[in-house]
């Protein structure tokens, strides 16, 4: 029998490990620098691009900030 796995992607979890942590910041910076391809999971503020604002958003998630 085959197991069906649903897409459970988390916005901000760019390495798909189920967590949002410093590894996702590294992937986001690599996307900004053009080292890794664009990933819509990195556009946390939904402005259509990935930039430093998204990095700050991920840092705030990690630190537990609501602002």
């Amino acid at each position: 029998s085959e197991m069906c796995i649903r897409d459970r992607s988390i916005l901000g979890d760019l390495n798909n490990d189920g967590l949002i942590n410093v590894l996702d910041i590294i992937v986001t910076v690599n996307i900004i620098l053009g080292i890794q391809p664009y990933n819509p999971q990195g556009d946390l503020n939904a402005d259509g691009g990935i930039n430093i604002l998204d990095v700050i958003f991920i840092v705030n998630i990690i630190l537990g900030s609501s602002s």
Side-chain angles (χ1 to χ4, degrees):
S1 70
E2 289 184 9
M3 177 184 272
C4 180
I5 300 175
R6 289 190 303 164
D7 179 19
R8 296 183 183 193
S9 55
I10 300 168
L11 191 62
D13 180 20
L14 282 96
N15 64 350
N16 295 313
D17 65 356
L19 304 169
I20 297 177
N21 55 31
V22 69
L23 297 176
D24 300 300
I25 294 172
I26 292 168
V27 173
T28 305
V29 170
N30 284 342
I31 292 170
I32 293 168
L33 296 175
I35 296 170
Q36 289 187 245
Y38 177 82
N39 181 338
Q41 290 298 105
D43 184 14
L44 278 84
N45 62 353
D47 67 354
I50 298 176
N51 54 42
I52 189 64
L53 297 176
D54 300 297
V55 173
I56 292 168
F57 205 110
I58 295 173
V59 169
N60 285 335
I61 290 171
I62 294 169
L63 297 177
S65 174
S66 61
S67 55

